[in-house]
Amino acid sequence: MKRFAALAFLCLVCLLCAPAAFAEQEDAIPREWEDVISDAPVTAQEFMDLAPGEMAAAAGRLLAEGAQAPLRLAGRTLAVLLLAGAVRSLCPDKGSAASLLDAVVALSVFSLCSASLLGVVEMLGAALESSRVYLAAFIPVFASAMAACGQTSGALVYAGLFFTGVNLIAGVLCAVGLPVTQVCLSFCAAGCVCDVVDLTKLAKLVCKWCKWLLGACATAFTALMTLQSAFAQSADSAALKTGKFLLGSSIPLVGKALSDAMGSVLASLRMLKGSIGFAAVAVIAAAFLPVIAQCVAYKLVFAAGELASGALGSKKSEALFAGLADCAGLYVSMAFFFSFIVVCATVLMVLLGGAG
């Protein structure tokens, strides 16, 4: 009887001291968690406080910054096309001279556009590399936050499958994907001067298959992460509910109160975990949204150039602009593919942690 009374008194003391201890822990969260949240360009609370007008203004600034270089390129290419059209109208011979002029115009356009697209390639490669370095430091921190919330199996999936997959994807895109796009640019240039083999169609086919492969990989990886995370969350929820039941039923008098207190602490930790997960989403968005916006702007410029070339009778320039538009679309697909994988996996882990 004395042992039972001592045990009950000890549990009561723990219950009374728990709120203060938990409050101290919330004020002094691990340094790594604080660093992740502070390194984000915008926090979850700041994002929630943004008004729709402020979001629209931020999107407008992003589009304006991304459209400056494409608009300058559009002006230059339009000047070249108009000058070529004027020269073509004065050319008495519509045969070989017109064909030579068409090839010269196409190469001039390519010399203007290739430098811009190679700059986009560098931006995309830098975004992929910086994201890979950031995720190498972020994933262990977020996995520790998941484990603190009771998602031990989910943390293993995120730190294992996702960490391996995202590093593999980034490495393949940098080592294979970006060089393939440069080869496609070379095919587009060669197709302007070579009449024996239509290399522009080959470049278009390569871009088409690369986009299809990216879509298939995104679908397969997302499905695998979803299934693994769902199974892991089921195991975590069962273990957490079992622990709360044993805590509430095995300790007389104060067991239920301790179980409720543990639920409150877990709810606070899940809110903190959501803030940490949002930090990764913000960083990835800040890295890839400017690249995607600029690539979309270039694609629109190239589509307009294709229409202008067709109207002015420059067939090789028209085919060149079509190939450049396909390359710009491939850059958009690559940037969206990587950011989609990271954002979806992180958001999935945040949402699955609400049970239990």
Side-chain angles (χ1 to χ4, degrees):
M1 189 66 181
K2 292 182 180 180
R3 292 181 180 179
F4 174 76
L7 180 61
F9 178 75
L10 179 61
C11 293
L12 182 60
V13 171
C14 293
L15 178 62
L16 294 175
C17 295
F22 290 140
E24 292 179 359
Q25 290 179 2
E26 289 178 359
D27 294 335
I29 63 175
R31 179 65 179 271
E32 294 81 4
W33 297 11
E34 290 183 346
D35 292 341
V36 167
I37 296 175
S38 61
D39 290 342
V42 60
T43 63
Q45 187 61 43
E46 292 173 349
F47 181 77
M48 293 174 61
D49 293 339
L50 286 177
E54 295 175 339
M55 292 184 184
R61 288 193 299 270
L62 177 64
L63 293 176
E65 293 174 359
Q68 290 180 2
L71 287 177
R72 289 195 295 267
L73 178 63
R76 294 170 184 171
T77 54
L78 181 60
V80 171
L81 292 176
L82 290 176
L83 180 61
V87 173
R88 185 179 291 105
S89 64
L90 298 176
C91 183
D93 186 8
K94 302 298 182 181
S96 58
S99 178
L100 179 60
L101 177 63
D102 194 7
V104 171
V105 171
L107 289 177
S108 301
V109 169
F110 179 78
S111 65
L112 291 174
C113 299
S114 60
S116 299
L117 285 182
L118 289 177
V120 173
V121 172
E122 293 179 359
M123 286 180 58
L124 181 56
L128 288 170
E129 189 62 32
S130 62
S131 298
R132 179 165 60 175
V133 173
Y134 173 79
L135 290 173
F138 167 80
I139 290 176
V141 176
F142 188 64
S144 67
M146 293 174 61
C149 296
Q151 291 179 265
T152 53
S153 300
L156 291 176
V157 172
Y158 193 80
L161 175 63
F162 176 72
F163 182 74
T164 303
V166 77
N167 277 281
L168 178 62
I169 290 170
V172 171
L173 288 178
C174 291
V176 180
L178 296 181
V180 166
T181 61
Q182 295 176 346
V183 172
C184 291
L185 287 176
S186 302
F187 284 167
C188 292
C192 299
V193 295
C194 180
D195 295 329
V196 179
V197 181
D198 192 357
L199 295 177
T200 56
K201 289 187 177 179
L202 179 60
K204 184 176 183 179
L205 182 63
V206 171
C207 291
K208 179 180 178 180
W209 278 102
C210 287
K211 292 178 183 178
W212 182 89
L213 184 60
L214 289 174
C217 291
T219 303
F221 188 78
T222 304
L224 181 61
M225 276 293 301
T226 303
L227 290 175
Q228 290 277 0
S229 303
F231 293 146
Q233 179 60 26
S234 299
D236 292 334
S237 298
L240 186 60
K241 290 180 180 178
T242 302
K244 292 175 68 175
F245 172 77
L246 293 177
L247 181 63
S249 60
S250 60
I251 303 178
L253 300 178
V254 296
K256 179 61 176 177
L258 286 175
S259 178
D260 294 339
M262 185 179 70
S264 303
V265 174
L266 287 176
S268 300
L269 288 174
R270 284 165 184 158
M271 292 180 60
L272 185 58
K273 183 195 68 174
S275 299
I276 297 174
F278 181 83
V281 175
V283 169
I284 295 300
F288 285 96
L289 281 180
V291 180
I292 293 175
Q294 194 166 79
C295 290
V296 170
Y298 275 123
K299 185 175 177 62
L300 294 176
V301 168
F302 295 148
E306 182 181 0
L307 294 176
S309 300
L312 294 173
S314 182
K315 299 300 181 184
K316 290 185 177 180
S317 297
E318 182 180 8
L320 174 63
F321 275 118
L324 294 175
D326 289 335
C327 290
L330 182 56
Y331 296 147
V332 174
S333 300
M334 293 172 63
F336 183 79
F337 166 69
F338 185 82
S339 56
F340 174 82
I341 289 294
V342 175
V343 171
C344 281
T346 305
V347 172
L348 178 66
M349 292 300 175
V350 172
L351 295 178
L352 286 179

